[in-house]
Amino acid sequence: LEIIALDGKTQPATEELCQALAQNLVTGDPSLQGQNISVSVSSTHPTYEGCKVVNQFNVNGLITISEVKGIWYKDRRDNFMYASQASYFADTLDSDKAVIKDSVNQFSIN
């Protein structure tokens, strides 16, 4: 997803932008049957803002969950989106899912 506005600056994190990111992630590979599970805006951190997207895909009959956290600097010091992504199967043990989710959620930039 292009998070850069016409003036060359990154856009603020909004529900609309995060929904567009989620849609882009679902349709990025047309051979995968994907659907959006959840989208949230992250804007409370003092340094960065961004989106958390959870999508579900059918990969050769296996239900796979993908969690992506994309963040960028609020002060627009650069025009990059930094991302953390992890995937797991729907039947992964809950304890393992919790570790995977925590690792994505803990991703940050300083």
Side-chain angles (χ1 to χ4, degrees):
L1 173 71
E2 185 72 28
I3 62 166
I4 310 301
L6 294 176
D7 63 1
K9 302 290 184 185
T10 52
Q11 297 178 29
T14 63
E15 183 70 28
E16 181 179 62
L17 179 70
C18 292
Q19 289 289 345
L21 173 62
Q23 185 61 31
N24 188 1
L25 292 170
V26 167
T27 59
D29 183 348
S31 69
L32 297 176
Q33 299 171 9
Q35 67 180 8
N36 181 255
I37 302 294
S38 69
V39 175
S40 59
V41 177
S42 173
S43 60
T44 58
H45 192 276
T47 306
Y48 62 83
E49 60 190 348
C51 307
K52 171 80 184 290
V53 176
V54 180
N55 289 324
Q56 177 178 301
F57 297 93
N58 184 333
V59 181
N60 296 323
L62 295 172
I63 302 301
T64 305
I65 312 300
S66 171
E67 299 206 11
V68 177
K69 180 179 179 183
I71 54 179
W72 52 93
Y73 289 106
K74 283 183 175 179
D75 66 7
R76 311 302 191 248
R77 67 185 73 173
D78 63 29
N79 287 323
F80 297 108
M81 179 173 68
Y82 301 88
S84 173
Q85 189 270 335
S87 298
Y88 52 89
F89 297 112
D91 62 356
T92 299
L93 293 174
D94 286 343
S95 59
D96 292 341
K97 286 180 191 178
V99 171
I100 294 167
K101 289 173 178 284
D102 284 346
S103 68
V104 173
N105 290 335
Q106 292 299 319
F107 176 67
S108 66
I109 52 179
N110 295 317

